[in-house]
Amino acid sequence: MRPVRLSVLTAAAVVAALTAVTGCAEKSDSAGGDGAIHVTATDTACEVSKKDFPAGKATIEVENKGAKVTELYLLFPDGRIVAERENIGPGTKATITAEIKAGDYEIACKPGMKGDGIRQQVKATGSGAAEKRSPEADAAVSAYRTYVQEQADETLPKAQAFADAVKAGDLEAAKKAYALSRIGWERTEPVAESFGDIDPKVDVREDGLEAGQDPAKDWTGWHRLEKSLFQDGKITDQDKKLADTLMADLTDWQKKVGQAEITPTSMANGAKELLDEVATGKVTGEEERYSHTDLVDFKANVEGAQKAYELLKPIASKNDPALAAELDKQFASMNTLLDKYRADKASYEFQSYESVKEDQRKELSDAVSALGEPLSKLAAAVAK
């Protein structure tokens, strides 16, 4: 789960996080004259250029004019995520390309990246999203759907091994199983996040709890157990119960994966979201602050992003061959760099992130930026 409080590295630029506010306003339709949906986010408002727009391939242009980091969500009425972009820093802009079916939706700006955000009801009309996809696009979606289901299926036995070790009170076995149990989740996290309710149960950190939640009662999931294992150095009776809760929530995820709304643009946006996960959680050391297994998550995020890209590559290569060539180059460079920190290419035995020096973290951060920039253009390329 992406952090809501970001640490500052002296060698890498990372934006600070914040608190949520409320309020919403509508902007004049004239601002959307270029066909895009323009969203102006501030710390107290979420101005949207149009409440009604054609269904089909849509572009959402977001500008953060506030003083706080924000994020933008396009949501189904039931809260499922259609498209999102997190970590939009003050004074910066972001573009989201998405395929949107006819129907009612909400656009939500979240200053501080917490809470329900500032919401605006919008509607997509017409039949644009019903246009027939190319065979390449259909093949990409089908293969990615298979991939995310496989990752969920493969996660359950690994998570069960972790849970069993916790329930047996075997501290060392639980520590050893912890990072490996998270790989499938980290590879496909944007799909899990699209359901809204599962991610906070499974992957939230203590500082990601909502206002009013009690860590002693409301904090569940991997990171709650991570703290017990790696910081407290003991397994309590409550931890054993939490292991069962984790398995119940992961089983729920595994059953729901097949219902996820997947499109070529959601795959591309999800790949970028995984790189954002790396930039704001793994490079900073925030994600695995007790176990320091950040490099395992880092690698899994990159693998998930690369899988989505490779499935979309036939489309991207046709529509923007220069972009595809750059992405091939940057993914190769990233993987070569990560290989420096593990025993061999076939293993997931990465060194502790505590041992990664500041200049090395800067190198990793620069590589993420070099990959993230072209990856942010993938959705637009596959939507052409």
Side-chain angles (χ1 to χ4, degrees):
M1 186 174 189
R2 293 181 182 85
V4 295
R5 179 183 58 79
L6 307 178
S7 63
V8 178
L9 295 178
T10 57
V14 186
V15 202
L18 328 135
T19 56
V21 294
T22 57
C24 197
E26 185 185 1
K27 212 176 176 182
S28 168
D29 244 10
S30 62
D34 58 359
I37 303 163
H38 293 268
V39 180
T40 302
T42 68
D43 297 341
T44 57
C46 184
E47 299 178 349
V48 181
S49 65
K50 55 184 77 174
K51 282 189 173 181
D52 297 278
F53 49 85
K57 294 173 182 175
T59 299
I60 304 174
E61 301 279 359
V62 188
E63 182 175 8
N64 183 4
K65 292 187 175 181
K68 302 176 180 180
V69 175
T70 194
E71 55 194 19
L72 189 286
Y73 288 85
L74 179 66
L75 303 168
F76 287 109
D78 61 6
R80 286 179 298 127
I81 298 170
V82 182
E84 65 176 308
R85 182 59 53 83
E86 301 194 9
N87 296 294
I88 306 170
T92 65
K93 299 179 180 180
T95 300
I96 306 169
T97 303
E99 296 176 52
I100 305 172
K101 296 178 180 179
D104 295 322
Y105 298 90
E106 286 186 323
I107 285 179
C109 302
K110 292 189 179 182
M113 306 197 334
K114 292 183 75 171
D116 291 334
I118 308 163
R119 299 198 174 204
Q120 178 76 281
Q121 292 185 346
V122 296
K123 179 186 289 290
T125 58
S127 58
E131 294 175 5
K132 184 174 175 61
R133 288 197 190 112
S134 68
E136 294 92 343
D138 281 338
V141 169
S142 177
Y144 189 68
R145 190 177 294 280
T146 298
Y147 173 72
V148 295
Q149 185 66 64
E150 287 174 347
Q151 293 304 306
D153 293 345
E154 292 171 9
T155 294
L156 284 192
K158 294 177 182 178
Q160 190 65 64
F162 170 64
D164 287 345
V166 172
K167 290 165 65 178
D170 191 333
L171 185 65
E172 293 307 312
K175 285 182 176 181
K176 186 175 181 179
Y178 170 73
L180 296 179
S181 74
R182 293 174 47 76
I183 293 171
W185 174 274
E186 290 292 332
R187 285 172 175 160
T188 60
E189 189 168 0
V191 176
E193 287 184 335
S194 72
F195 298 112
D197 60 336
I198 297 177
D199 184 76
K201 296 177 183 178
V202 168
D203 201 32
V204 74
R205 299 198 305 268
E206 185 172 7
D207 55 347
L209 295 173
E210 298 293 343
Q213 287 188 305
D214 181 354
K217 298 178 181 178
D218 303 317
W219 187 20
T220 61
W222 269 304
H223 294 303
R224 172 64 185 84
L225 292 168
E226 179 203 5
K227 183 178 182 182
S228 291
L229 298 174
F230 294 92
Q231 177 169 288
D232 301 340
K234 61 182 180 181
I235 296 172
T236 67
D237 289 341
Q238 178 65 16
D239 292 331
K240 295 176 182 179
K241 294 177 182 178
L242 287 172
D244 282 331
T245 300
L246 174 64
M247 287 309 303
D249 291 334
L250 288 175
T251 300
D252 187 29
W253 162 57
Q254 183 231 15
K255 290 178 179 177
K256 287 183 175 180
V257 160
Q259 305 166 24
E261 187 81 14
I262 297 175
T263 67
T265 54
S266 75
M267 291 168 59
N269 287 327
K272 179 59 170 64
E273 290 159 25
L274 285 170
L275 259 290
D276 290 343
E277 283 271 349
V278 174
T280 59
K282 282 66 177 185
V283 170
T284 63
E286 287 282 307
E287 181 81 5
E288 305 292 353
R289 62 189 65 171
Y290 310 115
S291 64
H292 306 295
T293 55
D294 303 271
L295 287 170
V296 177
D297 288 5
F298 194 139
K299 179 63 174 176
N301 285 159
V302 171
E303 286 177 337
Q306 187 167 7
K307 180 66 175 182
Y309 162 63
E310 287 175 347
L311 293 174
L312 293 169
K313 186 176 175 180
I315 306 170
S317 296
K318 183 187 298 184
N319 294 342
D320 193 338
L323 177 65
E326 182 65 16
L327 283 169
D328 286 341
K329 174 185 172 182
Q330 295 301 336
F331 270 117
S333 296
M334 176 61 75
N335 285 312
T336 297
L337 180 57
L338 284 172
D339 285 343
K340 292 168 53 177
Y341 298 96
R342 62 176 173 170
D344 59 75
K345 291 183 179 181
S347 82
Y348 254 85
E349 293 182 20
F350 284 82
Q351 68 187 66
S352 169
Y353 203 60
E354 275 191 311
S355 67
V356 179
K357 299 177 181 178
E358 187 175 310
D359 62 331
Q360 294 173 313
R361 295 188 184 200
K362 174 63 164 58
E363 183 182 27
L364 288 166
S365 178
D366 289 346
V368 171
S369 297
L371 174 57
E373 193 278 329
L375 197 58
S376 69
K377 302 175 182 177
L378 181 59
V382 301
K384 286 183 179 179

